[in-house]
């Protein structure tokens, strides 16, 4: 029984230490509210991430295996569908928190459209 407990705890510790750091950092988030011609409440929520500089390899010296591996694994939001999806999921969570804090769309909401720019995602929708 003790061995099982020790095995579970060590597995948990290893799992916690291998969680990758966040690949992007939110720079700002903005909630725009309006009422349309029909009197319905609408919103546009924009989340922008900080710019990630491009990773470049030195051209005047040989590249090590470690540097080559880091270069191959390096991703930017602007170029990575996986990171864009992660940013979109993060934006949905931030939208939930912001709408709650602002007491907007208290009966619920629907996201109608998602628009992408280089470093930002915009969620547009309406209140129920």
């Amino acid at each position: 029984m003790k061995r099982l407990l020790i095995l579970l705890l060590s597995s948990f510790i290893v799992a916690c230490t291998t969680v990758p750091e966040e690949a992007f950092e939110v720079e700002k988030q903005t909630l725009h509210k309006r009422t349309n011609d029909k009197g319905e409440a609408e919103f546009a929520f924009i989340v922008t991430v900080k710019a990630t500089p491009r990773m470049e390899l030195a051209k005047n010296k040989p590249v090590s295996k470690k540097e080559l591996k880091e270069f191959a694994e390096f991703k930017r939001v602007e170029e990575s569908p996986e990171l864009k999806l992660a940013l979109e999921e993060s934006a949905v969570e931030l939208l939930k928190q912001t709408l709650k804090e602002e007491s907007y769309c208290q009966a619920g909401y629907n996201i109608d459209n998602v628009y992408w720019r280089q470093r930002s995602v915009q969620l547009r929708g309406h209140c129920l």
Side-chain angles (χ1 to χ4, degrees):
M1 184 67 176
K2 284 185 178 183
R3 286 184 181 182
L4 179 62
L5 182 60
I6 291 171
L7 179 63
L8 288 173
L9 285 175
S10 62
S11 298
F12 179 73
I13 291 171
V14 169
C16 289
T17 59
T18 59
V19 173
E21 65 182 60
E22 190 68 36
F24 53 83
E25 185 178 345
V26 174
E27 183 175 48
K28 69 178 181 176
Q29 59 188 34
T30 310
L31 176 65
H32 300 279
K33 303 179 265 187
R34 76 172 191 174
T35 304
N36 66 16
D37 298 337
K38 299 176 185 175
E40 299 167 333
E42 296 179 326
F43 62 85
F45 186 67
I46 304 167
V47 177
T48 305
V49 297
K50 290 185 177 180
T52 306
R54 289 188 180 272
M55 182 178 196
E56 296 186 20
L57 296 173
K59 296 175 183 165
N60 57 352
K61 66 176 189 170
V63 179
S64 70
K65 287 183 182 181
K66 180 182 177 186
E67 290 172 323
L68 191 58
K69 182 179 178 187
E70 287 174 356
F71 182 77
E73 293 174 352
F74 184 76
K75 294 181 182 177
R76 299 173 62 214
V77 170
E78 298 93 321
E79 303 161 345
S80 170
E82 295 89 10
L83 289 180
K84 283 187 175 185
L85 183 59
L87 174 57
E88 188 174 326
E89 290 172 356
S90 177
V92 169
E93 290 302 314
L94 291 170
L95 173 64
K96 285 180 190 177
Q97 293 172 6
T98 303
L99 290 176
K100 186 176 181 179
E101 290 170 5
E102 300 264 337
S103 297
Y104 196 69
C105 296
Q106 293 179 347
Y109 63 92
N110 279 336
I111 297 173
D112 302 319
N113 295 305
V114 177
Y115 298 98
W116 281 99
R117 299 283 186 263
Q118 286 294 322
R119 296 182 301 117
S120 66
V121 62
Q122 182 180 120
L123 307 174
R124 288 190 189 176
H126 66 277
C127 299
L128 301 177

